[in-house]
Amino acid sequence: MIGSDASAAGPTDPAPHPAGAADAGHGTASLSSTTGATGTTGPTDPAVTAVTLLIADDDEVTRSGLRTLLSVQPGISVIGEAADGVEAVELAQRLRPDVVLMDVRMPRRNGIDATRQLLAESAEPPKVVVITTFENDDYVTAALSAGASGFVLKRLPVRQIAEAVRVVAAGEAILFPAALRRMVAARPLDSSEALPRAALTGREEEVLRSMATGLSNPEIADSLTVSLETVKTHVGNVLSKLGAQNRTHAVVIAYESGLVVPRFAG
């Protein structure tokens, strides 16, 4: 079900946490601190160029509902819909949206393979945000590893989904840290060699652990008592050494390698 603005339902985490820039990790505050409890923000100046969005979902009701609700959100321009992964790739390559809101379970080609193909074949690929019903969906971690910049839940209020689109379009990443911990914990650890091969320094491992808990770059700088520029350098080194496509992918590797151990409350 698509969340409405009036819906009280939400994920275990209160709001998706922008995890910093995907390239060198430019710092950013969390949605809860930048937009308030409702997650309302975004360009209101008509002169501001809207983020162009392609919606890919095999359920016509969900897809149409998302288009209707997101089209009226500030700073969002929905330019196309796709009913499966093959169509999503074709439309994304033709329309060149800034962001693709990608369902994972679709016919002909799933969202994981579509994401991987888009990122591999496009000279300037769009950002991909996975949209899913359940935060423990095994497909989501695979999509993040394929290069998606983050994920949102379908039950979120539409304003939070719109904010996630804007955040990702700006080059940042969206994480639900607790949900990500649960997803990775449910999967066999198959990347145990990743970190030893990467030869991260002690400080880089500290930064990666902080990233995995959802801290932004300024928060990491405060916790480690270093400058923001130093943190950005460490984040860039971590992504390079891990061969991570973006910050979110690095966090997935951190959990799968066992560097960060999931903890459960209660």
Side-chain angles (χ1 to χ4, degrees):
M1 177 180 294
I2 302 169
S4 67
D5 288 339
S7 172
T12 303
D13 298 353
H17 198 303
D23 51 0
H26 297 288
T28 181
S30 68
L31 285 184
S32 58
S33 64
T34 59
T35 66
T38 61
T40 56
T41 189
T44 55
D45 185 344
V48 176
T49 301
V51 174
T52 55
L53 177 67
L54 172 67
I55 299 170
D57 196 299
D58 64 322
D59 184 81
E60 184 177 359
V61 173
T62 298
R63 191 173 67 248
S64 298
L66 282 168
R67 179 166 196 156
T68 299
L69 293 170
L70 289 171
S71 292
V72 297
Q73 294 298 308
I76 303 289
S77 176
V78 180
I79 60 172
E81 299 177 25
D84 57 56
V86 172
E87 189 177 11
V89 172
E90 293 173 350
L91 285 178
Q93 291 175 337
R94 177 162 59 87
L95 300 177
R96 301 182 65 182
D98 298 314
V99 178
V100 177
L101 193 60
M102 183 85 74
D103 191 18
V104 288
R105 302 186 183 191
M106 294 187 291
R108 293 210 292 169
R109 184 171 300 145
N110 62 43
I112 302 166
D113 293 338
T115 296
R116 187 177 293 111
Q117 183 179 356
L118 269 178
L119 297 181
E121 295 182 359
S122 304
E124 296 181 2
K127 304 293 184 181
V128 175
V129 177
V130 173
I131 184 163
T132 184
T133 304
F134 304 105
E135 65 262 36
N136 62 347
D137 193 332
D138 286 344
Y139 286 104
V140 175
T141 45
L144 297 178
S145 295
S149 294
F151 70 97
V152 294
L153 303 176
K154 290 182 180 180
R155 68 174 182 259
L156 273 177
V158 68
R159 287 179 292 180
Q160 289 190 19
I161 297 176
E163 177 64 3
V165 168
R166 289 189 289 262
V167 166
V168 166
E172 298 162 3
I174 294 293
L175 291 177
F176 291 93
L180 182 60
R181 288 195 291 269
R182 285 192 299 275
M183 284 194 300
V184 176
R187 301 174 61 215
L189 300 181
D190 55 9
S191 303
S192 58
E193 297 296 322
L195 290 181
R197 284 204 308 267
L200 297 182
T201 67
R203 180 62 88 182
E204 288 165 354
E205 285 195 4
E206 286 183 287
V207 169
L208 180 55
R209 285 193 182 93
S210 298
M211 291 162 58
T213 62
L215 294 184
S216 66
N217 283 354
E219 290 167 337
I220 295 173
D222 288 343
S223 68
L224 299 181
T225 319
V226 297
S227 72
L228 182 57
E229 289 303 317
T230 297
V231 171
K232 291 178 182 178
T233 298
H234 287 317
V235 170
N237 290 341
V238 167
L239 299 186
S240 177
K241 289 183 177 182
L242 293 181
Q245 299 195 43
N246 54 39
R247 187 178 180 120
T248 308
H249 187 192
V251 171
V252 171
I253 292 173
Y255 283 110
E256 291 187 335
S257 69
L259 176 68
V260 178
V261 179
R263 290 183 173 86
F264 299 89

